[in-house]
């Protein structure tokens, strides 16, 4: 079975009691934070190796590293083949800094996007800009409503009620 499927079976096990699952995730988030601290200390250094090698490098189990790879995959310059990844699959942790920051904001992972290492990567203004860009990206902005007597937006020159706003019987 591919590593990702094994990880998902463990991490999203609905048969586990809530307390055990919460402890599992609290422990995982702490481990994840430790890996990000090391990665962000040297943001321009590409870290690569097999899943097992990276797990050993960061003091994680293969399953924890699989979870980490799953989480960071959308922020990488080139995504890893996580769907069919096995222990000896060669992977890279080369991340796009802006994408990673925004994805951490999107995940509401303040323990990650507030890491002090970000201060050396982006100034406060850039961090604020990226934060707001990410927050606004999920906001739907509706255009102005067309009134019955307004000119039709299709450009016909007719009133909306006499054109596209006509009720079809």
């Amino acid at each position: 079975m591919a590593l990702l499927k094994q990880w998902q079976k463990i991490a999203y096990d609905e048969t586990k009691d809530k307390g055990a699952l919460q402890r599992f995730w609290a422990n995982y988030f702490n481990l994840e934070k430790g890996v990000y601290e090391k990665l962000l200390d040297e943001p321009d250094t590409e870290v690569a190796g097999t899943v097992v090698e990276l797990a050993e490098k960061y003091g994680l189990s293969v399953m924890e590293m699989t979870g980490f790879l799953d989480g960071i995959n959308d922020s990488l310059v080139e995504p890893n083949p996580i769907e069919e990844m096995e222990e000896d699959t060669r992977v890279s942790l080369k991340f796009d800094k802006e994408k990673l920051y925004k994805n951490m904001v999107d995940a509401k992972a303040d323990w990650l996007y507030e890491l002090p290492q970000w201060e050396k990567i982006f100034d406060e203004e850039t961090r604020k800009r990226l934060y707001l860009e990410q927050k606004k990206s999920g906001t739907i902005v509706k255009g102005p409503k067309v009134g019955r007597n307004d000119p039709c937006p299709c450009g016909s020159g007719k009133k909306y009620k006499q054109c596209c706003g006509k009720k079809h019987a």
Side-chain angles (χ1 to χ4, degrees):
M1 183 189 307
L3 291 177
L4 185 63
K5 289 224 184 300
Q6 290 176 44
W7 163 253
Q8 290 169 338
K9 220 174 173 177
I10 296 166
Y12 305 106
D13 184 357
E14 303 212 356
T15 62
K16 263 190 196 164
D17 77 274
K18 272 200 164 118
L21 215 49
Q22 284 176 329
R23 285 188 298 280
F24 170 85
W25 281 107
N27 179 54
Y28 171 77
F29 290 146
N30 196 39
L31 296 170
E32 177 188 48
K33 181 180 175 186
V35 177
Y36 277 120
E37 286 170 338
K38 291 173 186 159
L39 282 176
L40 294 172
D41 275 337
E42 298 180 49
D44 297 316
T45 304
E46 180 178 1
V47 177
T50 65
V51 177
V52 172
E53 289 168 350
L54 293 181
E56 287 172 7
K57 176 180 174 104
Y58 292 108
L60 303 177
S61 70
V62 170
M63 278 298 105
E64 291 161 345
M65 179 48 71
T66 302
F68 184 83
L69 289 165
D70 183 26
I72 197 173
N73 211 42
D74 289 341
S75 305
L76 299 176
V77 174
E78 281 189 41
N80 289 312
I82 59 167
E83 294 292 331
E84 58 270 348
M85 183 173 68
E86 295 296 343
E87 290 187 11
D88 59 350
T89 304
R90 194 154 176 74
V91 292
S92 167
L93 297 180
K94 185 175 168 99
F95 57 92
D96 176 310
K97 291 178 231 126
E98 285 196 8
K99 223 191 265 187
L100 180 62
Y101 189 83
K102 285 179 168 185
N103 285 338
M104 287 175 169
V105 169
D106 188 44
K108 297 177 179 66
D110 55 344
W111 65 94
L112 296 177
Y113 67 77
E114 290 178 355
L115 284 170
Q117 286 83 345
W118 283 112
E119 294 167 17
K120 293 182 198 115
I121 299 170
F122 298 129
D123 59 31
E124 189 176 347
E125 192 177 301
T126 305
R127 290 193 313 274
K128 275 184 182 171
R129 178 181 57 79
L130 293 172
Y131 181 89
L132 289 173
E133 278 176 22
Q134 181 56 46
K135 288 295 186 185
K136 286 179 181 173
S137 72
T139 306
I140 298 169
V141 180
K142 288 187 176 180
K145 189 173 180 186
V146 180
R148 292 172 28 87
N149 291 312
D150 292 341
C152 191
C154 77
S156 68
K158 295 179 182 178
K159 286 185 178 183
Y160 179 68
K161 69 181 178 186
Q162 296 297 322
C163 192
C164 295
K166 240 183 193 172
K167 293 214 181 342
H168 299 284

